[in-house]
Amino acid sequence: MASKSLNNLGKPFQLHLTSGIIVQEMLDTKQLVTGPLNESKLRNLPEMTDCTKMEAMTFLEEILICSYQSQSLYFPQIACRMVRISVQYGRAKTSCVGLASLALSLVTVFSDFSEGYSIAKTSMNIAGSDKRVLCYILTIMYGMINIWKEPIQAILPQLKDVYNMSLKYGLIDNALASGMLHAYRAFFTGSLLKPFSKEVALFIRNNLERHKRMVMHLCALPVSNGISCLRGSSFGPQYVEEFITEEQLAEALRNKESTVCEGMLAIKMMCTSIFRRFDGVKATARQYLELFERQGRASAQFVNIYRLFYGGLLSLHYYRESREQFWLDRAAHAIQKMEVWTAESVWNFENKLFLLQAERHYAFGEMDRAAEKYMLAQESSKKHRFIHEEALACELAAAFHEKTGNVQFVAELIDRAVNCYQTWGAEGKVESLLLSP
């Protein structure tokens, strides 16, 4: 079936892909589907009647999903081919899958957030009633595309709904994927830790008892341990060094699980930044920040946000200590990315940009500008409901004012940080903060 399907695809597949080939095919396909006229054409495509093309589309969908799971370079090419066949021969049941996958490729490869967002919505408009197809598209939309344009707190319940719908219809792989996407997004965006810890524990238990997907378990475990670390020693690991080790990061890279490795690194740097345990992660940050910067310079995936945010904060701390250009370069890259993303969604990114800018001004001795940015970071975090980042902004501002002699602000800022951490449920952090001199 594979050879017969591939023979009916028209233009043959490139067996040896290069980035240039992928970029050109995506650009050519993008022209077919963007703009009001083309979007209208897509919504009104006739039904596909050519049996060989329908067979090809079915086969392409199968290898599309496999190529995404293996992070293959063929993923965008297959998505483009599905879209082209649909435009030429009519709409098949899986045409919307190709279109949603093209939208995802535009976001992750080109950082073309607006076009990706628009095409993803079009894919929903042409989706039929097939629950398997619908769950796949919704997972892509809510988990990987809409996060760049819509308030992320509004997306989390939708991802949870996709997880439950996938379970209801027996779509276990999609359920686990959407559940994992929800877990990471809820953790990094400040969901209240006590109820969230129960959700993660249930997800892990169901996976181990019913589905037995060890990769999913290994991905979920750092989130669970991160929650325990933040909530306090009585709930689990006390320090991040206890549950995300150098050996685990290295093993993930050896197994070519770069997204897993980056996710663990982001959690490690997040907990390190919150608990102010800088020495324990410095060597790790030096080893991995530049590596991921080189590998993902043009990419846009959710975990990039928090690897860059916390990596940028750590880099600026190390730069203040050492004046080493390496750390300033890492921070500059993080700020540049956050500026781009803030232009797409002020809600999701503005507060992070302000805090990075505040720390940079502090490092450069620009104290008035730093004080202004710390205040803006606090206000933006509160306005956009990132309570954990409001706490961090208050704590960093307190450290800044104490260092610069403005001690009249310190007690109020620490009290505000404590209140925010308590509301979040990070009792472990509250305890360490109250015990610190």
Side-chain angles (χ1 to χ4, degrees):
M1 175 175 174
S3 60
K4 183 178 179 182
S5 296
L6 289 171
N7 287 335
N8 284 284
L9 297 180
K11 180 181 176 184
F13 269 79
Q14 296 281 350
L15 295 180
H16 303 289
L17 283 179
T18 65
S19 58
I21 292 172
I22 294 171
V23 166
Q24 190 57 57
E25 181 144 10
M26 287 181 63
L27 288 173
D28 292 343
T29 307
K30 176 184 169 184
Q31 291 182 344
L32 295 175
V33 298
T34 54
L37 291 177
N38 285 328
E39 290 177 12
S40 176
K41 178 181 176 182
L42 285 170
R43 287 194 294 269
N44 294 288
L45 283 173
E47 293 293 324
M48 186 179 292
T49 57
D50 187 322
C51 292
T52 58
K53 303 304 178 187
M54 294 169 66
E55 185 180 78
M57 288 289 286
T58 299
F59 175 71
L60 282 173
E61 187 205 12
E62 293 175 1
I63 60 174
L64 176 79
I65 294 172
C66 292
S67 67
Y68 179 76
Q69 292 171 341
S70 63
Q71 300 179 7
S72 168
L73 288 174
Y74 284 102
F75 178 78
Q77 189 185 33
I78 297 166
C80 288
R81 202 56 54 87
M82 291 180 74
V83 171
R84 287 173 170 273
I85 292 173
S86 300
V87 169
Q88 185 172 358
Y89 296 99
R91 186 172 71 237
K93 183 174 66 174
T94 56
S95 293
C96 53
V97 172
L99 200 59
S101 300
L102 173 64
L104 177 60
S105 298
L106 288 172
V107 167
T108 57
V109 177
F110 285 159
S111 294
D112 193 343
F113 303 106
S114 295
E115 290 292 3
Y117 183 60
S118 176
I119 292 171
K121 288 195 289 186
T122 302
S123 73
M124 276 298 301
N125 289 335
I126 67 171
S129 58
D130 186 293
K131 296 299 187 293
R132 180 184 59 80
V133 170
L134 192 59
C135 286
Y136 175 84
I137 294 174
L138 290 172
T139 299
I140 287 178
M141 280 187 60
Y142 295 139
M144 292 174 270
I145 296 177
N146 291 18
I147 55 173
W148 302 99
K149 304 295 286 187
E150 299 178 4
I152 193 158
Q153 295 93 338
I155 294 170
L156 294 176
Q158 295 170 321
L159 261 179
K160 194 183 296 185
D161 288 344
V162 178
Y163 169 72
N164 290 325
M165 183 166 66
S166 298
L167 282 180
K168 178 180 178 180
Y169 292 106
L171 306 171
I172 303 305
D173 287 338
N174 201 86
L176 294 174
S178 57
M180 187 61 63
L181 290 172
H182 176 271
Y184 271 82
R185 281 140 188 77
F187 178 71
F188 281 119
T189 54
S191 291
L192 299 183
L193 292 173
K194 186 175 181 179
F196 179 50
S197 67
K198 296 178 181 178
E199 292 181 11
V200 173
L202 180 61
F203 177 82
I204 290 175
R205 185 167 67 250
N206 284 342
N207 176 52
L208 286 176
E209 293 177 357
R210 300 179 185 178
H211 314 309
K212 297 179 173 58
R213 305 290 207 276
M214 286 309 300
V215 172
M216 288 294 177
H217 176 69
L218 293 174
C219 289
L221 206 54
V223 175
S224 176
N225 287 331
I227 296 169
S228 298
C229 179
L230 290 162
R231 293 188 67 198
S233 58
S234 62
F235 295 98
Q238 186 172 6
Y239 301 120
V240 67
E241 295 90 340
E242 297 176 12
F243 64 89
I244 297 179
T245 65
E246 295 300 311
E247 291 76 15
Q248 289 170 325
L249 292 169
E251 183 179 4
L253 275 189
R254 284 195 301 271
N255 294 335
K256 298 182 179 181
E257 295 170 344
S258 59
T259 302
V260 174
C261 180
E262 189 174 3
M264 289 194 295
L265 177 66
I267 292 172
K268 188 179 182 78
M269 292 192 298
M270 175 182 176
C271 292
T272 297
S273 297
I274 289 171
F275 282 98
R276 321 302 291 153
R277 296 173 59 84
F278 299 112
D279 292 341
V281 79
K282 188 173 183 179
T284 304
R286 181 182 290 277
Q287 179 180 355
Y288 286 99
L289 284 178
E290 187 177 24
L291 170 67
F292 280 115
E293 185 179 317
R294 289 197 309 269
Q295 289 183 348
R297 183 168 291 275
S299 70
Q301 299 185 48
F302 176 82
V303 73
N304 301 158
I305 301 166
Y306 295 92
R307 184 253 302 170
L308 286 165
F309 177 50
Y310 292 108
L313 292 176
L314 289 171
S315 294
L316 286 163
H317 173 85
Y318 298 138
Y319 177 72
R320 285 201 305 271
E321 288 185 331
S322 67
R323 294 300 176 192
E324 188 178 347
Q325 186 65 36
F326 173 87
W327 298 115
L328 186 58
D329 290 343
R330 304 288 77 74
H333 176 69
I335 291 170
Q336 183 270 326
K337 283 288 193 180
M338 213 61 68
E339 288 171 343
V340 171
W341 296 337
T342 299
E344 300 294 334
S345 173
V346 168
W347 185 286
N348 289 339
F349 302 107
E350 180 189 68
N351 70 306
K352 300 170 184 62
L353 175 60
F354 283 150
L355 191 54
L356 285 167
Q357 290 172 332
E359 289 281 285
R360 180 175 62 180
H361 288 311
Y362 179 18
F364 288 169
E366 299 164 351
M367 300 311 186
D368 289 343
R369 298 181 71 183
E372 178 189 6
K373 291 294 185 179
Y374 281 121
M375 181 62 70
L376 290 172
Q378 296 163 46
E379 292 172 352
S380 181
S381 297
K382 183 174 183 178
K383 178 180 178 181
H384 299 127
R385 306 207 305 268
F386 295 108
I387 194 165
H388 61 318
E389 290 165 4
E390 181 185 354
L392 184 59
C394 291
E395 187 179 2
L396 292 179
F400 162 77
H401 285 298
E402 185 173 37
K403 190 75 171 179
T404 56
N406 299 319
V407 293
Q408 68 271 25
F409 300 120
V410 174
E412 180 183 349
L413 285 165
I414 291 296
D415 285 345
R416 185 173 165 191
V418 167
N419 288 334
C420 288
Y421 282 129
Q422 284 178 328
T423 301
W424 184 29
E427 295 297 338
K429 169 60 183 178
V430 171
E431 182 181 352
S432 70
L433 194 55
L434 293 176
L435 290 174
S436 63

